[in-house]
Amino acid sequence: MLRKMFLAACLIAPAAGAQAQTPIDPDKQAAALVKQMTTEERNLLLHGFFSRPNPVNKLPQIGAPYAAGYTPGIARLGIPQLTESDASLGVAWINGKRARGATALPSSMALAATWDLKIAYAGSAAIAQEARASGDNVLLAGGVNLTREPRNGRNFEYLGEDPLLAGTLAGETIRAIQDQHVMSTVKHYALNAQETQQSAIGVDISEAAARESDLLAFELAIERGNPGAVMCAYNHFNGPFSCGSDFLLNKVLKQDWSYPGFVMSDWGANHATADALAGLDRESGEEFDSQIFFGAPLMALDGKDPAYTARITDMNQRILRSMIANHLFDDPPKIATPDIARGEAAARAEAATGTVLLKNNGILPLLKTARRIAVIGGYANIGVMSGGGSSQVAPQSGPALAIPTTTAADDWQAVMLHPGAPVKAILARTSGTRITFDTGAYPAFAAARAKDADIAIVFATQWTTEGLDVPDLNLPSGQNELIAAVAAANPRTIVVLETGGPVLMPWLDKTAAVLEAWYPGIRGADAIADILFGDVNPSGRLPITFPAALEQMPRPRLDGLFDFDGRQHVNYDIEGSDVGYRWYDRKGLTPLFPFGFGLSYTSFRYDDLKLRSEGNTIHASFTVTNTGSRAGRDTPQVYVTARGNAKGQRLIGWGNVELAPGASTRVIVDADPRLLADWSSPRGRWAMPAGRYDVTVNSSAANPVLDGATGLEARLLPP
Ligand code: BGC
């Protein structure tokens, strides 16, 4: 008894000052708590609500605004409640009813375009602090699904098509969140690459292809970030649902990767009590499931069926372990005024760094003394686009515009613009310039405005959302025709894209410059204007290939498109682990813009590549020099292009360098051995082929600048 009281006191004592003093052994402390649980208590943490009070769940006041998830605590044992909010882009807007505003970061795709760990950390730490100030102790962040499908409506929540880039950045965001004593997730495990037939789609892929691509992204994110939870996905994976996949949960995650935390289902993704035996530890948003599987039906098996009894003990152990390891007991969140200035500074830096200059015939940067600028389209007089669904954040001042897309009162898929009008940001940087705005509704009017100006800037938007894919890669609502008409009227036309992912650009040759600003977040307008006028030198690099045509993609037609009630399969073995640029490399295709591409207002030179192989890795080093007349940031990339006799391109590392004109620096990259290997299913190991390894240093996946080779011996590596 005394021991029990001591333990509870250790766990719940609030930290003196900022940091907890109690030495923590999460496994032991969790085990001690599990032992003290009554039969009824053993069931309480294993299922959670979608936290909006309704007549069924009769939720109490929870001390934080109702958000995405809620699990009551167990006061007798000092176990705190879980108050869970979405997601990676900020403390999310829950059906327009959240009490406080929050920082809306740029989309994760924009973050991936920074290729920058410091920026990833700063933004995520800031939003985790805001989560704490809201009273939340869990952020359902960490979306890392590889963008196998450029039409996926949730690509803006993910970090692009490469496992190293996506996994590393996701891991860093998770680390940042958990450093603030807010538990994070990594999601949606796994291969949840399209929204069409979200819960029905059957994903088929070989083990090797999955391990070398999407699963590797999760593995890297988990290693770097140690998330308290993994959220399993809606889709079927090689047969069973992801949340009932013994292979994904027990075999890969818990056995091979020794993951000590817990698996929570996505909201509505639990389909059976037996999912517990497959490795699912917590049923989330239970109102969304066809019944509560981890409530009474699970309890009925506790103490009766040894397999379930052991699992229930383990499920509690894992959940408590993650709560303890992330200081949810000893450093609870406190409601406070969020530090929005910190968040907005991080958002602005992220937007500015992640904006990609795709084309520039020399028109950019603009002179601040330009005489007449016509700004056209994209609601540029109001704000900047954001993505819809559970991750959507409403800034403090509320949305600049929210257009409902459903008839539901709590429309969670609104087309929402974040405040900060690009027109105003442009006005603020010019003097004596006549600036006109045209909505772009009628291309003829817009063209007339453009003709009457020295420069036309067309803002083009593509709204995407959770729950819906786009049918093709065309800009919607006649914007291609609009841009074509404007560019025909004035060749000094600049296009600023605010899109979830890649789009086709049939008008590209007619325009003077193109900027991809993604969904740029609460300071997006300033970031775009900073780049247009040269206050910031653009440095974003594409984290995803922009196809030249749908026919280039592994699936020219989206599986299940327009088949709203069917159940289709998607065959990811078409490309296997050759996702994105690796597919283009394999097929010898030239995309519109390659992975890793982005222009600058200065120029860089790479020389003196040195390669050294050692054990199971390759060390590469080379020099980068700023050869232009402006300070700038560059992201040189290192790829392996052939191993042994096998050709094939893989990113193995990159550098982020900031250089003054004329300055040089050395970049060093050490390859993760898994990127040099193939997964061997029969051996259950990574296998590195013996022989020559060709390595290049590139400015994009399609532009090798330096090359060299080294040799490695054959090796087998554990999973
Ligand atoms: C989404 C998750 C989200 C959850 C809770 C689901 O619809 O797929 O990403 O965390 O809802 O809002």
PDB file of all heavy atoms in Angstrom, residues 100-127:
ATOM      1  N   ARG A 100      -9.911  28.413 -28.518  1.00  0.00           N
ATOM      2  CA  ARG A 100      -8.797  29.316 -28.776  1.00  0.00           C
ATOM      3  C   ARG A 100      -8.278  29.149 -30.191  1.00  0.00           C
ATOM      4  O   ARG A 100      -8.283  28.038 -30.701  1.00  0.00           O
ATOM      5  CB  ARG A 100      -7.616  28.955 -27.876  1.00  0.00           C
ATOM      6  CG  ARG A 100      -7.807  29.295 -26.460  1.00  0.00           C
ATOM      7  CD  ARG A 100      -6.861  28.428 -25.635  1.00  0.00           C
ATOM      8  NE  ARG A 100      -7.388  28.302 -24.294  1.00  0.00           N
ATOM      9  CZ  ARG A 100      -7.138  29.170 -23.344  1.00  0.00           C
ATOM     10  NH1 ARG A 100      -6.355  30.184 -23.547  1.00  0.00           N
ATOM     11  NH2 ARG A 100      -7.663  29.008 -22.145  1.00  0.00           N
ATOM     12  N   GLY A 101      -7.757  30.195 -30.727  1.00  0.00           N
ATOM     13  CA  GLY A 101      -7.086  30.076 -32.014  1.00  0.00           C
ATOM     14  C   GLY A 101      -5.703  29.501 -31.806  1.00  0.00           C
ATOM     15  O   GLY A 101      -5.239  29.311 -30.683  1.00  0.00           O
ATOM     16  N   ALA A 102      -5.049  29.200 -32.884  1.00  0.00           N
ATOM     17  CA  ALA A 102      -3.733  28.574 -32.782  1.00  0.00           C
ATOM     18  C   ALA A 102      -2.929  28.961 -34.004  1.00  0.00           C
ATOM     19  O   ALA A 102      -3.461  29.497 -34.972  1.00  0.00           O
ATOM     20  CB  ALA A 102      -3.899  27.063 -32.720  1.00  0.00           C
ATOM     21  N   THR A 103      -1.641  28.672 -33.939  1.00  0.00           N
ATOM     22  CA  THR A 103      -0.799  28.936 -35.110  1.00  0.00           C
ATOM     23  C   THR A 103      -1.072  27.913 -36.201  1.00  0.00           C
ATOM     24  O   THR A 103      -1.018  26.709 -35.939  1.00  0.00           O
ATOM     25  CB  THR A 103       0.690  28.845 -34.720  1.00  0.00           C
ATOM     26  OG1 THR A 103       0.966  29.868 -33.774  1.00  0.00           O
ATOM     27  CG2 THR A 103       1.583  29.022 -35.941  1.00  0.00           C
ATOM     28  N   ALA A 104      -1.365  28.393 -37.391  1.00  0.00           N
ATOM     29  CA  ALA A 104      -1.534  27.501 -38.540  1.00  0.00           C
ATOM     30  C   ALA A 104      -0.202  27.442 -39.269  1.00  0.00           C
ATOM     31  O   ALA A 104       0.190  28.388 -39.955  1.00  0.00           O
ATOM     32  CB  ALA A 104      -2.621  28.033 -39.463  1.00  0.00           C
ATOM     33  N   LEU A 105       0.522  26.334 -39.091  1.00  0.00           N
ATOM     34  CA  LEU A 105       1.784  26.169 -39.816  1.00  0.00           C
ATOM     35  C   LEU A 105       1.487  25.921 -41.293  1.00  0.00           C
ATOM     36  O   LEU A 105       0.377  25.516 -41.648  1.00  0.00           O
ATOM     37  CB  LEU A 105       2.551  24.962 -39.255  1.00  0.00           C
ATOM     38  CG  LEU A 105       3.103  25.070 -37.834  1.00  0.00           C
ATOM     39  CD1 LEU A 105       3.757  23.745 -37.436  1.00  0.00           C
ATOM     40  CD2 LEU A 105       4.112  26.209 -37.719  1.00  0.00           C
ATOM     41  N   PRO A 106       2.471  26.107 -42.147  1.00  0.00           N
ATOM     42  CA  PRO A 106       2.306  25.686 -43.541  1.00  0.00           C
ATOM     43  C   PRO A 106       2.068  24.175 -43.593  1.00  0.00           C
ATOM     44  O   PRO A 106       2.311  23.463 -42.617  1.00  0.00           O
ATOM     45  CB  PRO A 106       3.644  26.043 -44.187  1.00  0.00           C
ATOM     46  CG  PRO A 106       4.267  27.050 -43.288  1.00  0.00           C
ATOM     47  CD  PRO A 106       3.780  26.740 -41.906  1.00  0.00           C
ATOM     48  N   SER A 107       1.620  23.685 -44.735  1.00  0.00           N
ATOM     49  CA  SER A 107       1.370  22.250 -44.872  1.00  0.00           C
ATOM     50  C   SER A 107       2.663  21.461 -44.651  1.00  0.00           C
ATOM     51  O   SER A 107       3.771  21.992 -44.798  1.00  0.00           O
ATOM     52  CB  SER A 107       0.841  21.952 -46.270  1.00  0.00           C
ATOM     53  OG  SER A 107       1.831  22.237 -47.241  1.00  0.00           O
ATOM     54  N   SER A 108       2.495  20.188 -44.316  1.00  0.00           N
ATOM     55  CA  SER A 108       3.693  19.351 -44.126  1.00  0.00           C
ATOM     56  C   SER A 108       4.477  19.228 -45.431  1.00  0.00           C
ATOM     57  O   SER A 108       5.704  19.082 -45.419  1.00  0.00           O
ATOM     58  CB  SER A 108       3.302  17.961 -43.627  1.00  0.00           C
ATOM     59  OG  SER A 108       2.745  18.063 -42.353  1.00  0.00           O
ATOM     60  N   MET A 109       3.780  19.281 -46.559  1.00  0.00           N
ATOM     61  CA  MET A 109       4.474  19.244 -47.852  1.00  0.00           C
ATOM     62  C   MET A 109       5.420  20.451 -47.960  1.00  0.00           C
ATOM     63  O   MET A 109       6.541  20.338 -48.474  1.00  0.00           O
ATOM     64  CB  MET A 109       3.451  19.258 -48.985  1.00  0.00           C
ATOM     65  CG  MET A 109       4.016  19.016 -50.346  1.00  0.00           C
ATOM     66  SD  MET A 109       4.611  17.342 -50.577  1.00  0.00           S
ATOM     67  CE  MET A 109       3.148  16.533 -51.185  1.00  0.00           C
ATOM     68  N   ALA A 110       4.965  21.611 -47.462  1.00  0.00           N
ATOM     69  CA  ALA A 110       5.826  22.801 -47.463  1.00  0.00           C
ATOM     70  C   ALA A 110       7.018  22.580 -46.533  1.00  0.00           C
ATOM     71  O   ALA A 110       8.153  22.955 -46.852  1.00  0.00           O
ATOM     72  CB  ALA A 110       5.031  24.033 -47.026  1.00  0.00           C
ATOM     73  N   LEU A 111       6.744  21.959 -45.387  1.00  0.00           N
ATOM     74  CA  LEU A 111       7.856  21.664 -44.475  1.00  0.00           C
ATOM     75  C   LEU A 111       8.865  20.752 -45.165  1.00  0.00           C
ATOM     76  O   LEU A 111      10.083  20.971 -45.095  1.00  0.00           O
ATOM     77  CB  LEU A 111       7.332  20.998 -43.188  1.00  0.00           C
ATOM     78  CG  LEU A 111       8.421  20.443 -42.276  1.00  0.00           C
ATOM     79  CD1 LEU A 111       9.355  21.555 -41.803  1.00  0.00           C
ATOM     80  CD2 LEU A 111       7.818  19.716 -41.084  1.00  0.00           C
ATOM     81  N   ALA A 112       8.344  19.728 -45.849  1.00  0.00           N
ATOM     82  CA  ALA A 112       9.260  18.795 -46.523  1.00  0.00           C
ATOM     83  C   ALA A 112      10.092  19.531 -47.573  1.00  0.00           C
ATOM     84  O   ALA A 112      11.247  19.183 -47.808  1.00  0.00           O
ATOM     85  CB  ALA A 112       8.472  17.665 -47.169  1.00  0.00           C
ATOM     86  N   ALA A 113       9.513  20.577 -48.166  1.00  0.00           N
ATOM     87  CA  ALA A 113      10.249  21.329 -49.187  1.00  0.00           C
ATOM     88  C   ALA A 113      11.382  22.164 -48.578  1.00  0.00           C
ATOM     89  O   ALA A 113      12.242  22.655 -49.308  1.00  0.00           O
ATOM     90  CB  ALA A 113       9.295  22.223 -49.976  1.00  0.00           C
ATOM     91  N   THR A 114      11.385  22.314 -47.256  1.00  0.00           N
ATOM     92  CA  THR A 114      12.529  22.998 -46.623  1.00  0.00           C
ATOM     93  C   THR A 114      13.712  22.050 -46.474  1.00  0.00           C
ATOM     94  O   THR A 114      14.838  22.496 -46.338  1.00  0.00           O
ATOM     95  CB  THR A 114      12.189  23.527 -45.208  1.00  0.00           C
ATOM     96  OG1 THR A 114      12.045  22.427 -44.300  1.00  0.00           O
ATOM     97  CG2 THR A 114      10.944  24.395 -45.194  1.00  0.00           C
ATOM     98  N   TRP A 115      13.447  20.745 -46.380  1.00  0.00           N
ATOM     99  CA  TRP A 115      14.478  19.727 -46.133  1.00  0.00           C
ATOM    100  C   TRP A 115      15.275  20.090 -44.877  1.00  0.00           C
ATOM    101  O   TRP A 115      16.473  19.805 -44.788  1.00  0.00           O
ATOM    102  CB  TRP A 115      15.426  19.585 -47.321  1.00  0.00           C
ATOM    103  CG  TRP A 115      14.820  19.122 -48.611  1.00  0.00           C
ATOM    104  CD1 TRP A 115      13.775  19.682 -49.282  1.00  0.00           C
ATOM    105  CD2 TRP A 115      15.233  18.005 -49.407  1.00  0.00           C
ATOM    106  NE1 TRP A 115      13.503  18.981 -50.435  1.00  0.00           N
ATOM    107  CE2 TRP A 115      14.394  17.946 -50.547  1.00  0.00           C
ATOM    108  CE3 TRP A 115      16.237  17.050 -49.281  1.00  0.00           C
ATOM    109  CZ2 TRP A 115      14.523  16.982 -51.544  1.00  0.00           C
ATOM    110  CZ3 TRP A 115      16.363  16.099 -50.279  1.00  0.00           C
ATOM    111  CH2 TRP A 115      15.523  16.061 -51.387  1.00  0.00           C
ATOM    112  N   ASP A 116      14.641  20.732 -43.914  1.00  0.00           N
ATOM    113  CA  ASP A 116      15.407  21.359 -42.835  1.00  0.00           C
ATOM    114  C   ASP A 116      14.923  20.893 -41.463  1.00  0.00           C
ATOM    115  O   ASP A 116      13.788  21.162 -41.069  1.00  0.00           O
ATOM    116  CB  ASP A 116      15.255  22.885 -42.966  1.00  0.00           C
ATOM    117  CG  ASP A 116      16.231  23.627 -42.077  1.00  0.00           C
ATOM    118  OD1 ASP A 116      16.301  23.305 -40.878  1.00  0.00           O
ATOM    119  OD2 ASP A 116      16.920  24.536 -42.574  1.00  0.00           O
ATOM    120  N   LEU A 117      15.817  20.232 -40.741  1.00  0.00           N
ATOM    121  CA  LEU A 117      15.441  19.681 -39.433  1.00  0.00           C
ATOM    122  C   LEU A 117      15.184  20.775 -38.401  1.00  0.00           C
ATOM    123  O   LEU A 117      14.303  20.638 -37.552  1.00  0.00           O
ATOM    124  CB  LEU A 117      16.544  18.750 -38.918  1.00  0.00           C
ATOM    125  CG  LEU A 117      16.757  17.487 -39.750  1.00  0.00           C
ATOM    126  CD1 LEU A 117      17.917  16.672 -39.213  1.00  0.00           C
ATOM    127  CD2 LEU A 117      15.498  16.648 -39.760  1.00  0.00           C
ATOM    128  N   LYS A 118      15.944  21.846 -38.462  1.00  0.00           N
ATOM    129  CA  LYS A 118      15.768  22.921 -37.455  1.00  0.00           C
ATOM    130  C   LYS A 118      14.400  23.569 -37.621  1.00  0.00           C
ATOM    131  O   LYS A 118      13.721  23.892 -36.656  1.00  0.00           O
ATOM    132  CB  LYS A 118      16.848  23.984 -37.615  1.00  0.00           C
ATOM    133  CG  LYS A 118      18.196  23.526 -37.146  1.00  0.00           C
ATOM    134  CD  LYS A 118      19.072  24.759 -36.841  1.00  0.00           C
ATOM    135  CE  LYS A 118      20.504  24.343 -36.626  1.00  0.00           C
ATOM    136  NZ  LYS A 118      21.259  24.221 -37.887  1.00  0.00           N
ATOM    137  N   ILE A 119      14.012  23.757 -38.874  1.00  0.00           N
ATOM    138  CA  ILE A 119      12.699  24.359 -39.123  1.00  0.00           C
ATOM    139  C   ILE A 119      11.599  23.405 -38.675  1.00  0.00           C
ATOM    140  O   ILE A 119      10.594  23.816 -38.074  1.00  0.00           O
ATOM    141  CB  ILE A 119      12.589  24.747 -40.610  1.00  0.00           C
ATOM    142  CG1 ILE A 119      13.446  25.988 -40.825  1.00  0.00           C
ATOM    143  CG2 ILE A 119      11.143  25.003 -41.019  1.00  0.00           C
ATOM    144  CD1 ILE A 119      13.490  26.505 -42.220  1.00  0.00           C
ATOM    145  N   ALA A 120      11.802  22.126 -38.939  1.00  0.00           N
ATOM    146  CA  ALA A 120      10.817  21.126 -38.490  1.00  0.00           C
ATOM    147  C   ALA A 120      10.673  21.180 -36.972  1.00  0.00           C
ATOM    148  O   ALA A 120       9.557  21.159 -36.428  1.00  0.00           O
ATOM    149  CB  ALA A 120      11.252  19.733 -38.933  1.00  0.00           C
ATOM    150  N   TYR A 121      11.795  21.265 -36.302  1.00  0.00           N
ATOM    151  CA  TYR A 121      11.759  21.264 -34.829  1.00  0.00           C
ATOM    152  C   TYR A 121      11.060  22.524 -34.310  1.00  0.00           C
ATOM    153  O   TYR A 121      10.180  22.446 -33.442  1.00  0.00           O
ATOM    154  CB  TYR A 121      13.186  21.167 -34.270  1.00  0.00           C
ATOM    155  CG  TYR A 121      13.200  20.877 -32.772  1.00  0.00           C
ATOM    156  CD1 TYR A 121      13.386  19.584 -32.308  1.00  0.00           C
ATOM    157  CD2 TYR A 121      12.997  21.894 -31.838  1.00  0.00           C
ATOM    158  CE1 TYR A 121      13.375  19.298 -30.953  1.00  0.00           C
ATOM    159  CE2 TYR A 121      12.991  21.623 -30.477  1.00  0.00           C
ATOM    160  CZ  TYR A 121      13.184  20.323 -30.039  1.00  0.00           C
ATOM    161  OH  TYR A 121      13.156  20.051 -28.691  1.00  0.00           O
ATOM    162  N   ALA A 122      11.440  23.663 -34.849  1.00  0.00           N
ATOM    163  CA  ALA A 122      10.917  24.937 -34.315  1.00  0.00           C
ATOM    164  C   ALA A 122       9.391  24.999 -34.434  1.00  0.00           C
ATOM    165  O   ALA A 122       8.692  25.365 -33.475  1.00  0.00           O
ATOM    166  CB  ALA A 122      11.557  26.109 -35.061  1.00  0.00           C
ATOM    167  N   GLY A 123       8.846  24.637 -35.587  1.00  0.00           N
ATOM    168  CA  GLY A 123       7.400  24.716 -35.785  1.00  0.00           C
ATOM    169  C   GLY A 123       6.664  23.752 -34.866  1.00  0.00           C
ATOM    170  O   GLY A 123       5.650  24.103 -34.240  1.00  0.00           O
ATOM    171  N   SER A 124       7.171  22.539 -34.777  1.00  0.00           N
ATOM    172  CA  SER A 124       6.462  21.536 -33.984  1.00  0.00           C
ATOM    173  C   SER A 124       6.566  21.824 -32.493  1.00  0.00           C
ATOM    174  O   SER A 124       5.609  21.586 -31.740  1.00  0.00           O
ATOM    175  CB  SER A 124       7.002  20.142 -34.304  1.00  0.00           C
ATOM    176  OG  SER A 124       6.672  19.841 -35.638  1.00  0.00           O
ATOM    177  N   ALA A 125       7.713  22.334 -32.061  1.00  0.00           N
ATOM    178  CA  ALA A 125       7.831  22.704 -30.638  1.00  0.00           C
ATOM    179  C   ALA A 125       6.840  23.818 -30.326  1.00  0.00           C
ATOM    180  O   ALA A 125       6.179  23.813 -29.267  1.00  0.00           O
ATOM    181  CB  ALA A 125       9.265  23.140 -30.329  1.00  0.00           C
ATOM    182  N   ALA A 126       6.699  24.760 -31.242  1.00  0.00           N
ATOM    183  CA  ALA A 126       5.782  25.888 -30.994  1.00  0.00           C
ATOM    184  C   ALA A 126       4.337  25.399 -30.902  1.00  0.00           C
ATOM    185  O   ALA A 126       3.595  25.796 -29.994  1.00  0.00           O
ATOM    186  CB  ALA A 126       5.931  26.931 -32.113  1.00  0.00           C
ATOM    187  N   ILE A 127       3.926  24.510 -31.800  1.00  0.00           N
ATOM    188  CA  ILE A 127       2.516  24.075 -31.737  1.00  0.00           C
ATOM    189  C   ILE A 127       2.277  23.152 -30.542  1.00  0.00           C
ATOM    190  O   ILE A 127       1.172  23.115 -29.995  1.00  0.00           O
ATOM    191  CB  ILE A 127       2.018  23.434 -33.060  1.00  0.00           C
ATOM    192  CG1 ILE A 127       2.771  22.154 -33.400  1.00  0.00           C
ATOM    193  CG2 ILE A 127       2.069  24.450 -34.198  1.00  0.00           C
ATOM    194  CD1 ILE A 127       2.129  21.334 -34.517  1.00  0.00           C
TER     195      ILE A 127
END
